[in-house]
Each structure stands twice: as structure tokens, then as C-alpha cells.
Amino acid sequence: MTFPSDLLTLRAVLILPLELEQEPLEIHEAIAPGVIDYAADIRQVGPLPVEGRADLLVEHRGHHELVNDIRLRAGYKGQFEVLCARCVEPVPVPMTGEFDLIFRPQAADAESGERAITVDETEIGYYEESGLLLEDVVREQVLLSLPGRTLCTPECKGLCPSCGQNLNSAPCGCSKAPADPRWNALAGLADSIAVKQVKH
């Protein structure tokens, strides 16, 4: 999917409860590469389309106390590069995800003392007084969706620990380090244990 450059989102998308009082916000964004800083080992390649909707949920808490929660439902789909865990070469990783989240004003639960947290509340995020940044939500969802460990291939040989040569592309000239003589006392220990077990 390609997007004209004038449709790419280069600015921060701020969702304000005041704007949602009139009507829900329909989200049709294509976040440009470089707008979101994910992590040192992940890079967005090309635009990241985000389609969804933000609604205002008014929570009633006793007399005259209203809390403006924001429900954000959206999906994203884009291409990323993640550094291989062994050789640190970029690996193409397509990412697709959907989320349905509720965000509450940070001040709403800033009560003094301790209070019990319900199971429902553990699924609730918080937004600052200035509003909810769409980019913050997308960044968190992308990072949560990443595989725990990314390899360019299951057989990746990684880097030489001495010179840093990528061993997938060429062997290095480093000589094998001599074994530490302090380990000599343990040499053959496994064999002697196996022999003793056989005798019993």
C-alpha cells in the first residue's frame, strides 16, 4: 500500500476528550518513518497506516464527579526492520495488529493512600492532562507485538567475539583461544562419573 507524501502524518496526533464530546474521532493516519522512536534495534520502513476510532466514555463516580475515559480502537499494518540477535544485521519483519484500549485521565486515580486495583483496572492506561498521543499508543502496541528474539536465519553464526567479523559472510582470521589451564582438573570428570554409575 502506498501513500502520497502529503498524506503522511509527520505531526503528533493528539486525542482530546473535549473534541470527543461532540462526536467520535475517526482515525485515518499514515505515520511516516522516523516519527515514532521505537527502540535502538527496531526501525519502521515506509508508512504505517493506522485506522480506527476514538470515543469518549463518561464514568460517573458519585455526586457530580465525572471521569472522561477515552476508548481507542484501531489497527495498524506496516514493515519494520529488527536487528538480528546474533549478527545485528537488519531483518525484515512485517507487523500487523489491532487493539481496543481504554485510557483514563492520570489525575483520576491519583488518590492518597493505598487502594485496591480491580482486574478491569489493570487493563486501563492513562493519559496526561494535555491529551492522549496516538503515537505513544501505537509505539507501545508495536513493541508488545515484537517476537522475543529475532534471528536472520536459525543457522546464523553471529559475530566473532574477538574481532566482530560477521561469520555468516566470511570466516575471521582469529586464532582459537587456548583453553584455560584451570579447567584441566575437570577434564574427563564426566567420563569418570559415568564409569562409577555403571559399576553400581
Side-chain angles (χ1 to χ4, degrees):
M1 188 181 296
T2 57
F3 291 84
S5 58
D6 59 337
L7 293 182
L8 289 178
T9 301
L10 296 169
R11 56 179 175 74
V13 178
L14 188 63
I15 303 170
L16 300 169
L18 188 62
E19 294 176 351
L20 300 178
E21 288 180 4
Q22 305 301 321
E23 60 181 359
L25 173 66
E26 298 294 333
I27 298 169
H28 306 286
E29 302 290 343
I31 300 173
V35 170
I36 299 177
D37 182 16
Y38 295 96
D41 60 344
I42 176 171
R43 183 174 74 93
Q44 180 184 321
V45 180
L48 181 68
V50 180
E51 300 279 337
R53 170 176 166 149
D55 295 275
L56 182 66
L57 302 179
V58 180
E59 182 183 348
H60 295 268
R61 290 187 178 181
H63 298 294
H64 309 296
E65 186 181 358
L66 303 177
V67 176
N68 290 329
D69 293 342
I70 296 174
R71 182 181 185 184
L72 181 58
R73 291 170 284 180
Y76 61 88
K77 183 176 183 180
Q79 297 292 326
F80 291 82
E81 285 183 347
V82 180
L83 298 185
C84 173
R86 291 182 187 162
C87 69
V88 258
E89 288 295 317
V91 182
V93 178
M95 297 282 292
T96 303
E98 293 183 350
F99 52 87
D100 185 347
L101 303 169
I102 293 177
F103 294 89
R104 178 176 293 161
Q106 201 162 45
D109 290 339
E111 301 175 1
S112 58
E114 295 182 2
R115 59 187 287 266
I117 297 177
T118 66
V119 175
D120 290 339
E121 285 180 309
T122 61
E123 302 299 321
I124 291 177
Y126 293 89
Y127 67 89
E128 302 285 344
E129 187 178 349
S130 55
L132 175 65
L133 271 174
L134 175 66
E135 289 76 11
D136 287 347
V137 180
V138 171
R139 178 184 185 275
E140 181 180 32
Q141 293 304 306
V142 167
L143 293 177
L144 288 173
S145 301
L146 281 174
R149 194 162 182 254
T150 301
L151 296 176
C152 56
T153 66
E155 299 79 25
C156 176
K157 297 176 182 177
L159 304 176
C160 171
S162 299
C163 68
Q165 166 68 36
N166 185 340
L167 300 177
N168 297 308
S169 53
C172 66
C174 297
S175 59
K176 298 295 182 185
D180 190 326
R182 290 173 294 181
W183 290 105
N184 290 342
L186 298 178
L189 181 61
D191 293 335
S192 65
I193 292 174
V195 170
K196 289 180 180 177
Q197 288 175 341
V198 170
K199 289 180 179 178
H200 290 289

